[in-house]
Amino acid sequence: MKEPGSEHSTHSLNARLLRFRSQPASEDPYALAEDLIAAKRYGDARGVAVTAQADPEDGYLLVLEGRAWLQERDLVRAQAALLRAVRAAPDLADAYRWLGHVLLKRGDPQRALKTLRRALELNPNDEEAQKLATRADHLSEAIEDETMPLSES
């Protein structure tokens, strides 16, 4: 059973996507990519982010591209897009938070912690970045404990 209005919203999203593809300036690429991610249409969201990209690159569109890759569980491509995002927009806290999230998923809590600390410098009120940083800190400590040589008695 479909949710009431879901057919209309899918139709509306399809119409917006078609309009964007024929005339990219006719739609807000940020809102469209966000809505496509929310609808779990990650490939379409990436397509919008890539099509709307300009030179110099737009950090927020790269974050959206990275999020779409992350949702598709392609952590390597997600990390690449998010690294481009932090280079393009070094003051964009979301880019650092999402990059830290990906680094954690890739098993690199030390780099994730450093990245998440930068996100928190830029936006100290980001609760999600704080949660991720706490997790990265715990995992980093566990790794340090495992690699620390045993002292001789």
PDB file of all heavy atoms in Angstrom, residues 79-105:
ATOM      1  N   GLN A  79      34.312   9.370   0.099  1.00  0.00           N
ATOM      2  CA  GLN A  79      35.470  10.064   0.673  1.00  0.00           C
ATOM      3  C   GLN A  79      36.096  11.015  -0.345  1.00  0.00           C
ATOM      4  O   GLN A  79      36.431  12.152  -0.013  1.00  0.00           O
ATOM      5  CB  GLN A  79      36.509   9.058   1.166  1.00  0.00           C
ATOM      6  CG  GLN A  79      37.704   9.721   1.824  1.00  0.00           C
ATOM      7  CD  GLN A  79      38.679   8.711   2.412  1.00  0.00           C
ATOM      8  OE1 GLN A  79      38.341   7.557   2.649  1.00  0.00           O
ATOM      9  NE2 GLN A  79      39.896   9.165   2.649  1.00  0.00           N
ATOM     10  N   ALA A  80      36.222  10.576  -1.591  1.00  0.00           N
ATOM     11  CA  ALA A  80      36.810  11.430  -2.627  1.00  0.00           C
ATOM     12  C   ALA A  80      35.987  12.707  -2.826  1.00  0.00           C
ATOM     13  O   ALA A  80      36.543  13.810  -2.893  1.00  0.00           O
ATOM     14  CB  ALA A  80      36.933  10.660  -3.939  1.00  0.00           C
ATOM     15  N   ALA A  81      34.674  12.568  -2.903  1.00  0.00           N
ATOM     16  CA  ALA A  81      33.814  13.748  -3.091  1.00  0.00           C
ATOM     17  C   ALA A  81      33.905  14.675  -1.882  1.00  0.00           C
ATOM     18  O   ALA A  81      33.963  15.904  -2.034  1.00  0.00           O
ATOM     19  CB  ALA A  81      32.370  13.315  -3.320  1.00  0.00           C
ATOM     20  N   LEU A  82      33.942  14.099  -0.693  1.00  0.00           N
ATOM     21  CA  LEU A  82      33.986  14.929   0.521  1.00  0.00           C
ATOM     22  C   LEU A  82      35.351  15.584   0.710  1.00  0.00           C
ATOM     23  O   LEU A  82      35.431  16.709   1.219  1.00  0.00           O
ATOM     24  CB  LEU A  82      33.576  14.098   1.728  1.00  0.00           C
ATOM     25  CG  LEU A  82      32.094  13.688   1.679  1.00  0.00           C
ATOM     26  CD1 LEU A  82      31.809  12.551   2.647  1.00  0.00           C
ATOM     27  CD2 LEU A  82      31.195  14.891   1.941  1.00  0.00           C
ATOM     28  N   LEU A  83      36.405  14.940   0.289  1.00  0.00           N
ATOM     29  CA  LEU A  83      37.726  15.588   0.315  1.00  0.00           C
ATOM     30  C   LEU A  83      37.734  16.783  -0.634  1.00  0.00           C
ATOM     31  O   LEU A  83      38.280  17.842  -0.299  1.00  0.00           O
ATOM     32  CB  LEU A  83      38.829  14.598  -0.068  1.00  0.00           C
ATOM     33  CG  LEU A  83      39.246  13.627   1.020  1.00  0.00           C
ATOM     34  CD1 LEU A  83      40.144  12.528   0.451  1.00  0.00           C
ATOM     35  CD2 LEU A  83      39.946  14.348   2.159  1.00  0.00           C
ATOM     36  N   ARG A  84      37.131  16.624  -1.808  1.00  0.00           N
ATOM     37  CA  ARG A  84      37.005  17.757  -2.734  1.00  0.00           C
ATOM     38  C   ARG A  84      36.160  18.857  -2.106  1.00  0.00           C
ATOM     39  O   ARG A  84      36.441  20.043  -2.288  1.00  0.00           O
ATOM     40  CB  ARG A  84      36.404  17.292  -4.058  1.00  0.00           C
ATOM     41  CG  ARG A  84      37.389  16.459  -4.868  1.00  0.00           C
ATOM     42  CD  ARG A  84      36.842  15.843  -6.141  1.00  0.00           C
ATOM     43  NE  ARG A  84      35.883  16.625  -6.880  1.00  0.00           N
ATOM     44  CZ  ARG A  84      34.776  16.112  -7.458  1.00  0.00           C
ATOM     45  NH1 ARG A  84      34.511  14.811  -7.364  1.00  0.00           N
ATOM     46  NH2 ARG A  84      33.960  16.883  -8.120  1.00  0.00           N
ATOM     47  N   ALA A  85      35.144  18.471  -1.342  1.00  0.00           N
ATOM     48  CA  ALA A  85      34.279  19.463  -0.692  1.00  0.00           C
ATOM     49  C   ALA A  85      35.059  20.296   0.324  1.00  0.00           C
ATOM     50  O   ALA A  85      34.905  21.519   0.370  1.00  0.00           O
ATOM     51  CB  ALA A  85      33.091  18.781  -0.013  1.00  0.00           C
ATOM     52  N   VAL A  86      35.883  19.650   1.158  1.00  0.00           N
ATOM     53  CA  VAL A  86      36.620  20.430   2.171  1.00  0.00           C
ATOM     54  C   VAL A  86      37.689  21.305   1.519  1.00  0.00           C
ATOM     55  O   VAL A  86      37.997  22.375   2.039  1.00  0.00           O
ATOM     56  CB  VAL A  86      37.217  19.556   3.303  1.00  0.00           C
ATOM     57  CG1 VAL A  86      36.124  18.845   4.069  1.00  0.00           C
ATOM     58  CG2 VAL A  86      38.251  18.580   2.814  1.00  0.00           C
ATOM     59  N   ARG A  87      38.207  20.874   0.370  1.00  0.00           N
ATOM     60  CA  ARG A  87      39.165  21.732  -0.356  1.00  0.00           C
ATOM     61  C   ARG A  87      38.452  22.922  -0.993  1.00  0.00           C
ATOM     62  O   ARG A  87      38.970  24.036  -0.999  1.00  0.00           O
ATOM     63  CB  ARG A  87      39.903  20.926  -1.426  1.00  0.00           C
ATOM     64  CG  ARG A  87      40.942  20.001  -0.844  1.00  0.00           C
ATOM     65  CD  ARG A  87      41.783  19.348  -1.949  1.00  0.00           C
ATOM     66  NE  ARG A  87      42.348  18.125  -1.424  1.00  0.00           N
ATOM     67  CZ  ARG A  87      42.027  16.902  -1.813  1.00  0.00           C
ATOM     68  NH1 ARG A  87      41.138  16.719  -2.773  1.00  0.00           N
ATOM     69  NH2 ARG A  87      42.592  15.851  -1.282  1.00  0.00           N
ATOM     70  N   ALA A  88      37.267  22.674  -1.532  1.00  0.00           N
ATOM     71  CA  ALA A  88      36.513  23.733  -2.208  1.00  0.00           C
ATOM     72  C   ALA A  88      35.901  24.721  -1.221  1.00  0.00           C
ATOM     73  O   ALA A  88      35.764  25.903  -1.520  1.00  0.00           O
ATOM     74  CB  ALA A  88      35.407  23.124  -3.080  1.00  0.00           C
ATOM     75  N   ALA A  89      35.523  24.232  -0.032  1.00  0.00           N
ATOM     76  CA  ALA A  89      34.847  25.077   0.966  1.00  0.00           C
ATOM     77  C   ALA A  89      35.424  24.757   2.351  1.00  0.00           C
ATOM     78  O   ALA A  89      34.798  24.049   3.136  1.00  0.00           O
ATOM     79  CB  ALA A  89      33.350  24.843   0.934  1.00  0.00           C
ATOM     80  N   PRO A  90      36.624  25.264   2.656  1.00  0.00           N
ATOM     81  CA  PRO A  90      37.295  24.903   3.911  1.00  0.00           C
ATOM     82  C   PRO A  90      36.578  25.369   5.178  1.00  0.00           C
ATOM     83  O   PRO A  90      36.950  24.933   6.268  1.00  0.00           O
ATOM     84  CB  PRO A  90      38.684  25.543   3.788  1.00  0.00           C
ATOM     85  CG  PRO A  90      38.600  26.495   2.652  1.00  0.00           C
ATOM     86  CD  PRO A  90      37.432  26.125   1.811  1.00  0.00           C
ATOM     87  N   ASP A  91      35.555  26.192   5.045  1.00  0.00           N
ATOM     88  CA  ASP A  91      34.799  26.642   6.217  1.00  0.00           C
ATOM     89  C   ASP A  91      33.414  26.010   6.299  1.00  0.00           C
ATOM     90  O   ASP A  91      32.571  26.459   7.081  1.00  0.00           O
ATOM     91  CB  ASP A  91      34.672  28.172   6.212  1.00  0.00           C
ATOM     92  CG  ASP A  91      36.028  28.846   6.385  1.00  0.00           C
ATOM     93  OD1 ASP A  91      36.904  28.250   7.052  1.00  0.00           O
ATOM     94  OD2 ASP A  91      36.215  29.950   5.851  1.00  0.00           O
ATOM     95  N   LEU A  92      33.167  24.966   5.534  1.00  0.00           N
ATOM     96  CA  LEU A  92      31.872  24.302   5.518  1.00  0.00           C
ATOM     97  C   LEU A  92      31.894  23.130   6.495  1.00  0.00           C
ATOM     98  O   LEU A  92      32.426  22.060   6.204  1.00  0.00           O
ATOM     99  CB  LEU A  92      31.533  23.824   4.099  1.00  0.00           C
ATOM    100  CG  LEU A  92      30.179  23.190   3.874  1.00  0.00           C
ATOM    101  CD1 LEU A  92      29.030  24.136   4.230  1.00  0.00           C
ATOM    102  CD2 LEU A  92      30.045  22.744   2.421  1.00  0.00           C
ATOM    103  N   ALA A  93      31.306  23.341   7.668  1.00  0.00           N
ATOM    104  CA  ALA A  93      31.333  22.328   8.735  1.00  0.00           C
ATOM    105  C   ALA A  93      30.721  21.006   8.300  1.00  0.00           C
ATOM    106  O   ALA A  93      31.227  19.940   8.667  1.00  0.00           O
ATOM    107  CB  ALA A  93      30.613  22.862   9.977  1.00  0.00           C
ATOM    108  N   ASP A  94      29.641  21.049   7.513  1.00  0.00           N
ATOM    109  CA  ASP A  94      28.991  19.812   7.058  1.00  0.00           C
ATOM    110  C   ASP A  94      29.950  18.928   6.268  1.00  0.00           C
ATOM    111  O   ASP A  94      29.888  17.706   6.357  1.00  0.00           O
ATOM    112  CB  ASP A  94      27.767  20.121   6.198  1.00  0.00           C
ATOM    113  CG  ASP A  94      26.538  20.466   7.023  1.00  0.00           C
ATOM    114  OD1 ASP A  94      26.595  20.369   8.256  1.00  0.00           O
ATOM    115  OD2 ASP A  94      25.512  20.824   6.410  1.00  0.00           O
ATOM    116  N   ALA A  95      30.826  19.539   5.483  1.00  0.00           N
ATOM    117  CA  ALA A  95      31.779  18.755   4.692  1.00  0.00           C
ATOM    118  C   ALA A  95      32.690  17.951   5.619  1.00  0.00           C
ATOM    119  O   ALA A  95      32.946  16.767   5.381  1.00  0.00           O
ATOM    120  CB  ALA A  95      32.597  19.671   3.788  1.00  0.00           C
ATOM    121  N   TYR A  96      33.146  18.577   6.683  1.00  0.00           N
ATOM    122  CA  TYR A  96      34.025  17.887   7.635  1.00  0.00           C
ATOM    123  C   TYR A  96      33.257  16.821   8.417  1.00  0.00           C
ATOM    124  O   TYR A  96      33.791  15.745   8.680  1.00  0.00           O
ATOM    125  CB  TYR A  96      34.667  18.886   8.592  1.00  0.00           C
ATOM    126  CG  TYR A  96      35.700  19.753   7.917  1.00  0.00           C
ATOM    127  CD1 TYR A  96      35.358  20.996   7.392  1.00  0.00           C
ATOM    128  CD2 TYR A  96      37.016  19.324   7.792  1.00  0.00           C
ATOM    129  CE1 TYR A  96      36.307  21.800   6.770  1.00  0.00           C
ATOM    130  CE2 TYR A  96      37.966  20.120   7.169  1.00  0.00           C
ATOM    131  CZ  TYR A  96      37.608  21.358   6.658  1.00  0.00           C
ATOM    132  OH  TYR A  96      38.543  22.126   6.030  1.00  0.00           O
ATOM    133  N   ARG A  97      32.012  17.124   8.798  1.00  0.00           N
ATOM    134  CA  ARG A  97      31.225  16.130   9.540  1.00  0.00           C
ATOM    135  C   ARG A  97      30.995  14.884   8.693  1.00  0.00           C
ATOM    136  O   ARG A  97      31.202  13.761   9.147  1.00  0.00           O
ATOM    137  CB  ARG A  97      29.880  16.689   9.992  1.00  0.00           C
ATOM    138  CG  ARG A  97      29.041  15.587  10.687  1.00  0.00           C
ATOM    139  CD  ARG A  97      27.764  16.027  11.355  1.00  0.00           C
ATOM    140  NE  ARG A  97      27.082  17.157  10.817  1.00  0.00           N
ATOM    141  CZ  ARG A  97      26.104  17.098   9.908  1.00  0.00           C
ATOM    142  NH1 ARG A  97      25.710  15.952   9.396  1.00  0.00           N
ATOM    143  NH2 ARG A  97      25.503  18.195   9.512  1.00  0.00           N
ATOM    144  N   TRP A  98      30.558  15.069   7.449  1.00  0.00           N
ATOM    145  CA  TRP A  98      30.306  13.912   6.589  1.00  0.00           C
ATOM    146  C   TRP A  98      31.598  13.167   6.267  1.00  0.00           C
ATOM    147  O   TRP A  98      31.614  11.937   6.214  1.00  0.00           O
ATOM    148  CB  TRP A  98      29.562  14.340   5.319  1.00  0.00           C
ATOM    149  CG  TRP A  98      28.124  14.634   5.585  1.00  0.00           C
ATOM    150  CD1 TRP A  98      27.532  15.866   5.659  1.00  0.00           C
ATOM    151  CD2 TRP A  98      27.092  13.688   5.864  1.00  0.00           C
ATOM    152  NE1 TRP A  98      26.194  15.734   5.957  1.00  0.00           N
ATOM    153  CE2 TRP A  98      25.898  14.405   6.084  1.00  0.00           C
ATOM    154  CE3 TRP A  98      27.056  12.302   5.942  1.00  0.00           C
ATOM    155  CZ2 TRP A  98      24.686  13.781   6.370  1.00  0.00           C
ATOM    156  CZ3 TRP A  98      25.851  11.677   6.237  1.00  0.00           C
ATOM    157  CH2 TRP A  98      24.689  12.415   6.442  1.00  0.00           C
ATOM    158  N   LEU A  99      32.701  13.895   6.073  1.00  0.00           N
ATOM    159  CA  LEU A  99      33.978  13.230   5.829  1.00  0.00           C
ATOM    160  C   LEU A  99      34.395  12.416   7.052  1.00  0.00           C
ATOM    161  O   LEU A  99      34.836  11.269   6.925  1.00  0.00           O
ATOM    162  CB  LEU A  99      35.061  14.254   5.467  1.00  0.00           C
ATOM    163  CG  LEU A  99      36.452  13.683   5.215  1.00  0.00           C
ATOM    164  CD1 LEU A  99      36.447  12.632   4.105  1.00  0.00           C
ATOM    165  CD2 LEU A  99      37.419  14.822   4.880  1.00  0.00           C
ATOM    166  N   GLY A 100      34.222  12.980   8.245  1.00  0.00           N
ATOM    167  CA  GLY A 100      34.514  12.235   9.467  1.00  0.00           C
ATOM    168  C   GLY A 100      33.667  10.984   9.581  1.00  0.00           C
ATOM    169  O   GLY A 100      34.146   9.921   9.980  1.00  0.00           O
ATOM    170  N   HIS A 101      32.408  11.083   9.209  1.00  0.00           N
ATOM    171  CA  HIS A 101      31.494   9.934   9.226  1.00  0.00           C
ATOM    172  C   HIS A 101      32.024   8.825   8.306  1.00  0.00           C
ATOM    173  O   HIS A 101      32.067   7.656   8.690  1.00  0.00           O
ATOM    174  CB  HIS A 101      30.106  10.414   8.782  1.00  0.00           C
ATOM    175  CG  HIS A 101      29.048   9.371   8.809  1.00  0.00           C
ATOM    176  ND1 HIS A 101      28.241   9.175   9.898  1.00  0.00           N
ATOM    177  CD2 HIS A 101      28.655   8.476   7.873  1.00  0.00           C
ATOM    178  CE1 HIS A 101      27.394   8.186   9.634  1.00  0.00           C
ATOM    179  NE2 HIS A 101      27.631   7.746   8.409  1.00  0.00           N
ATOM    180  N   VAL A 102      32.435   9.205   7.109  1.00  0.00           N
ATOM    181  CA  VAL A 102      32.955   8.232   6.144  1.00  0.00           C
ATOM    182  C   VAL A 102      34.256   7.613   6.657  1.00  0.00           C
ATOM    183  O   VAL A 102      34.458   6.401   6.566  1.00  0.00           O
ATOM    184  CB  VAL A 102      33.153   8.885   4.757  1.00  0.00           C
ATOM    185  CG1 VAL A 102      33.956   7.987   3.830  1.00  0.00           C
ATOM    186  CG2 VAL A 102      31.804   9.221   4.132  1.00  0.00           C
ATOM    187  N   LEU A 103      35.129   8.439   7.217  1.00  0.00           N
ATOM    188  CA  LEU A 103      36.400   7.912   7.743  1.00  0.00           C
ATOM    189  C   LEU A 103      36.153   6.905   8.861  1.00  0.00           C
ATOM    190  O   LEU A 103      36.855   5.892   8.951  1.00  0.00           O
ATOM    191  CB  LEU A 103      37.292   9.059   8.215  1.00  0.00           C
ATOM    192  CG  LEU A 103      37.863   9.936   7.096  1.00  0.00           C
ATOM    193  CD1 LEU A 103      38.493  11.201   7.671  1.00  0.00           C
ATOM    194  CD2 LEU A 103      38.866   9.165   6.245  1.00  0.00           C
ATOM    195  N   LEU A 104      35.175   7.178   9.695  1.00  0.00           N
ATOM    196  CA  LEU A 104      34.818   6.210  10.739  1.00  0.00           C
ATOM    197  C   LEU A 104      34.343   4.903  10.117  1.00  0.00           C
ATOM    198  O   LEU A 104      34.766   3.821  10.532  1.00  0.00           O
ATOM    199  CB  LEU A 104      33.707   6.770  11.635  1.00  0.00           C
ATOM    200  CG  LEU A 104      34.115   7.425  12.925  1.00  0.00           C
ATOM    201  CD1 LEU A 104      32.902   8.004  13.643  1.00  0.00           C
ATOM    202  CD2 LEU A 104      34.875   6.494  13.821  1.00  0.00           C
ATOM    203  N   LYS A 105      33.479   4.987   9.134  1.00  0.00           N
ATOM    204  CA  LYS A 105      32.967   3.783   8.475  1.00  0.00           C
ATOM    205  C   LYS A 105      34.081   3.014   7.772  1.00  0.00           C
ATOM    206  O   LYS A 105      34.010   1.800   7.643  1.00  0.00           O
ATOM    207  CB  LYS A 105      31.864   4.133   7.474  1.00  0.00           C
ATOM    208  CG  LYS A 105      30.545   4.478   8.138  1.00  0.00           C
ATOM    209  CD  LYS A 105      29.432   4.393   7.119  1.00  0.00           C
ATOM    210  CE  LYS A 105      28.085   4.425   7.750  1.00  0.00           C
ATOM    211  NZ  LYS A 105      27.683   3.214   8.401  1.00  0.00           N
TER     212      LYS A 105
END
